[in-house]
Amino acid sequence: MAKTLQISDAEWDVMEPIWAAGAATAADVIKQLRATHDWNHSTIRTLLARLVEKKALAYDVDGAKYIYRATVTRDECVRKESQSFLEKAFGGNVAALLTHFVEEASLDREQIEALRKLLAQKKHPQ
């Protein structure tokens, strides 16, 4: 994924149904997003066009239909967003980020144990 690719929150919402389906027509994306967003079809089409311009989406034409597919995976975008958040909010300090979330989160015993195991694996890689 290009280091400069920045996806806005609205663009992220447009990407979700495409990532989920693998490919989707503009009509499919519009139908899904109108169920959860108060956006008209031209807003969604504008967001699709922006994502194509950013090279986050590509499309094929089938008659009058545009079929969109992601050129970046959701995992790639999650990694990029996570890194950006880590740098912006915590100056790149992973320990500070983890400390913040552990202190602020309500964790049950299973979650705490899963975190302990994960940290132990980091301490003693196999």
Side-chain angles (χ1 to χ4, degrees), residues 14-19 21-33 41 44-45 48 57-70:
V14 170
M15 293 292 290
E16 287 289 0
I18 297 169
W19 282 323
T25 65
D28 293 335
V29 174
I30 290 166
K31 181 179 179 183
Q32 284 193 3
L33 291 178
H41 67 90
I44 297 167
R45 288 185 186 277
L48 287 165
L57 290 177
Y59 64 89
D60 297 308
V61 180
D62 181 18
K65 294 180 184 178
Y66 282 62
I67 303 168
Y68 294 90
R69 58 187 158 67

Side-chain angles (χ1 to χ4, degrees), residues 9 12 35 41 46-47 53 68 85-87 90 93 99 102 109-110 121:
D9 291 347
W12 190 280
H41 67 90
T46 297
L47 291 166
E53 188 176 307
Y68 294 90
F85 176 73
L86 176 63
E87 290 296 327
F90 296 94
N93 185 332
T99 299
V102 167
R109 288 179 195 259
E110 288 178 8
Q121 289 172 353

